[in-house]
Every structure is written in C-alpha cells, then in structure tokens.
Amino acid sequence: MSDIAICTQGLGKQYHIGGPRKHYDRLSERLVDLLDTPFRRAGRLLRGQATGATELDEVIWALKDITLEIKQGEVIGIIGNNGAGKSTLLKILARITDLTEGYAEIHGRVGSLLEVGTGFHPDLTGRENIYLNGAILGMRRTEIARKFDEIVAFAEIEKFIETPVKHYSSGMYMRLAFAVAAHLEPEILVVDEVLAVGDAEFQAKCLGKMGDVAKTGRTILFVSHNLLAIETLCSRAFWLRDGSIAQEGAPNQVVSSYLRHSLQTATERRWPDADQTPGPHQVQLQRVCVEPACGNRLGALTVHTPLRLTFEYWNFDATATLSVSIRLYNEHNILIFDIASPYNPEWQQHPSPMGLLRTTCTIPGDLLNDGTHRIALIIIRNQQPVIEETAALVFNIQDGSVAERGGWYGKWPGAIRPRLAWETNIPVSA
C-alpha cells in the first residue's frame, strides 16, 4: 500500500477577471452573437473605444505548475505573501475548487478548516452541525457521538450547543469549526489562516491540539503567517511566490529565505526633504543608521560585531523634552528588547536643546543571533510619542566562524546567542 497522502503534478488554477461572461442556452444564440461581433467591434472603433484583447476577460494564474508529494503523517507548512496562492491550493486539495490543469491525487478523508464556519448550515444548531460535518466526512453516527463531548468542551460552547449557529459570534464559529475538524479524525487535515480570529489563549490551544494530531500520524497541511508555529509544528515547508513553489525543505531554512526576500534591508535611511520627513513640524526625523561600532563601518554585521545605532532628528520646540525608544524584533517578529534612552541629567529639569540632535546606542557583540532584525523607532516628546517608525532599520546579522561552534552546524535556536564565560576544571581530589 502506498504511503503517499497527496500527490500533484503540474497543478494550475486559472481565473478570468473582467466583465460577466455570456451563457448561451441555444445554438442559435451563439451563432447570432458570432455574426454580430464584427459589427460591435467596428462601432467601438468608430467611437474611439479600444478593441482586441481588452474586450476579453483578463486571465490570471493563481497557481502554476505546482508539483509536490506529501507522505502520510507529514506535517506540511505553507507560507507566502498574501495573494501567493496558498488558500487556492488548499481549496483544490480539499476538493472545494476545481483545478484548471494538471492533476491532484488525495488518498484519505479530508477535514478542512479554510474559512470560519465553512460547511456549517446557519439554521442548524451546533449539535446538528457537528453530526452534519461528521457525516460529510463519511463517519458513522456512533463515531461522532463518541467524540461529541470532547468537541463541545474544546470549543467552549456548552451553553449554546442547542442554538442555531447563525446566532454565534465569529469567535464561537471559529472555535466550533476547529474543534470539529481536529476531533473527527480525518486522515488529512487542511488548516488555513483562521486561527488569527481567536484570542491568544485559544490560538495556543489550537496549536497544541494540532501538535497532538500530528503525533497520531495524520497528515496536516498548515497555512499560517505565524512563522514560529510553522517551524515548531511542521516537518517540511513550502514557500509559494506568485503562484509557484519558490522553495521547499526544512522549515527553518524555508522561513529564513522567505523573510530575507520579504524584508527589504535598510541599514541607513535619510529624509533630506522636510516635507517628506516623519514627524510633526516641532520634531522631525532626518537620519537613522546601523553600522559596526568599531573597525570598518562598511564591514559585515556578524554575531560577534558590536552594533552602533544612530538616530538624527531636528528639535524646533524650545519647550520640548525629547527621548528615543527602540524595540528590536527578530525575523519571527518576536520582541527581543524594548529600551529607551535615559534623560540627560543636564536636561532633566530643562528642555532639550534646539537644532539637530544625535542619539546613539550600542548593542554589544556576541548577543544577537544570526538572521534578519528590525528596529522600531519611537521619538517621545514631553512623554508622548510623536514619531513612530515600525521598520526604521532592517538588517541581517551573519553567522560567525563554523570553527567556533563546537561541532554544531545547524542554525542556533533562540532569539539571542550570547557568549558566556565557561570554565572546566579537574575536580579537587578529596
């Protein structure tokens, strides 16, 4: 028996966008339209209207030449920007959308969680919809009954189980939909980015349940912008870009490539035009920069390099007291630290000097991990933020020498990678 759960070859999905397409009930209507078309085009040409290709529907390929093979029990993460084709791919694999070319083979019952409440009948109660979804999956009533209490408890809707789901909030819809999809034990579970609807506590609960499902040997396809969850849960990842597979492989490698492509590096930014600079007229940002704190300022930024952050800004307010706050995020959008510049003792009871001010901050070497980092900058005036740049600086930190890594050749986990003092001695004999 084959261990392949999903196999696609040259899969493509084409959409027509534009005006409504004509439908003909009789052959005579089609013939009349064909005879009339040249006269319509001539009339448009005389009126100065475009003809030719612009009359036709515009064709776009949401997916093109998707070839993949997924084994039973694999947990596959799918990442990519909005519009890359992720949801379209899942809908095809869940047999919701037809493909245009190629083929897709799916071996096993598919449980899908693509949109909140997909597959629910609004006039049926929560109880009735649980049994309806189970029947759609081909499960016996006794199988559904055995899981019923567990589904209701997970969804936290005990009080509303006999209420028609059209009266549910979006959060209740989502909780019940996920509980049904995860507990009714389809061989293949397809999950789109719907967990973002819930609160942080329920998202964590869902991710934990998906981890449990994965341990049972079922196949999972997981689309998410939560890249940390992709790295944690998945055994393999696909990066979709413009409807095609840009990369597949180990999740951490695919995520790293995706982030490097998505975040445009900006180690220095200037705003020479006062009309374009961020900030009100009293305080205006002019320049931000990250560079090595010592040695060649154009040298590479590695895990060992001390970093100097420089922020230059104009103060045109003689009554203002200014400070600078920065937040450092890693490539998973995890906050590493949030720190603010201390007030200058000379300015503690007095306003900041007027003119061009420069604030610098040094991040020591052997602290940050390799990868892409982002600085969010906030300039505070009289204890109120007046400038907020969420991506003031974006920079890559490279790995150091492999020889220093003690035989470790993978990417080091963790948000930071500090160098600590270690010492090994021969124990003193008793």
Side-chain angles (χ1 to χ4, degrees), residues 188-402:
I188 300 171
L189 180 61
V190 178
V191 183
D192 202 349
E193 184 72 274
V194 294
L195 301 185
V197 179
D199 55 30
E201 182 179 355
F202 189 74
Q203 287 183 36
K205 186 177 179 179
C206 290
L207 292 174
K209 181 60 181 178
M210 287 179 60
D212 295 339
V213 171
K215 294 175 183 177
T216 65
R218 282 182 278 168
T219 305
I220 299 177
L221 270 68
F222 181 37
V223 165
S224 180
H225 290 290
N226 185 338
L227 301 180
L228 186 59
I230 293 288
E231 288 192 326
T232 302
L233 290 175
C234 301
S235 56
R236 196 153 52 106
F238 290 86
W239 167 22
L240 289 187
R241 184 173 66 195
D242 299 327
S244 299
I245 297 176
Q247 185 179 347
E248 67 170 290
N252 62 332
Q253 296 175 357
V254 175
V255 166
S256 181
S257 298
Y258 166 68
L259 288 168
R260 284 197 299 269
H261 179 268
S262 301
L263 289 176
Q264 295 184 347
T265 302
T267 57
E268 182 177 17
R269 297 176 65 192
R270 296 175 181 267
W271 293 270
D273 188 348
D275 294 333
Q276 302 296 325
T277 184
H281 65 275
Q282 301 98 332
V283 183
Q284 294 183 348
L285 192 59
Q286 175 168 289
R287 175 178 173 266
V288 295
C289 176
V290 56
E291 60 188 350
C294 57
N296 181 9
R297 65 180 300 270
L298 300 178
L301 305 180
T302 74
V303 292
H304 307 306
T305 307
L307 305 179
R308 178 186 296 114
L309 306 176
T310 302
F311 309 99
E312 296 179 356
Y313 48 100
W314 290 94
N315 178 29
F316 300 110
D317 186 351
T319 66
T321 299
L322 304 179
S323 65
V324 174
S325 175
I326 61 172
R327 294 173 181 169
L328 178 66
Y329 296 86
N330 68 5
E331 57 191 20
H332 300 294
N333 207 36
I334 294 175
L335 178 64
I336 300 176
F337 61 71
D338 180 348
I339 193 168
S341 63
Y343 288 115
N344 188 313
E346 298 179 2
W347 308 346
Q348 190 73 28
Q349 304 299 327
H350 305 284
S352 303
M354 292 183 61
L356 182 63
L357 303 181
R358 177 184 293 124
T359 298
T360 61
C361 174
T362 301
I363 300 176
D366 297 309
L367 174 65
L368 303 181
N369 205 346
D370 61 300
T372 303
H373 293 73
R374 171 173 62 89
I375 294 286
L377 169 67
I378 303 172
I379 296 183
I380 301 167
R381 171 179 172 268
N382 297 337
Q383 300 183 345
Q384 295 294 325
V386 292
I387 297 176
E388 297 186 54
E389 283 287 301
T390 58
L393 294 167
V394 179
F395 54 94
N396 291 317
I397 295 180
Q398 301 178 13
D399 197 355
S401 171
V402 174

Side-chain angles (χ1 to χ4, degrees), residues 28 88 98 113 152 211 266 282 298 306 354 375:
S28 59
T88 301
D98 291 331
L113 187 57
V152 174
Q282 301 98 332
L298 300 178
M354 292 183 61
I375 294 286

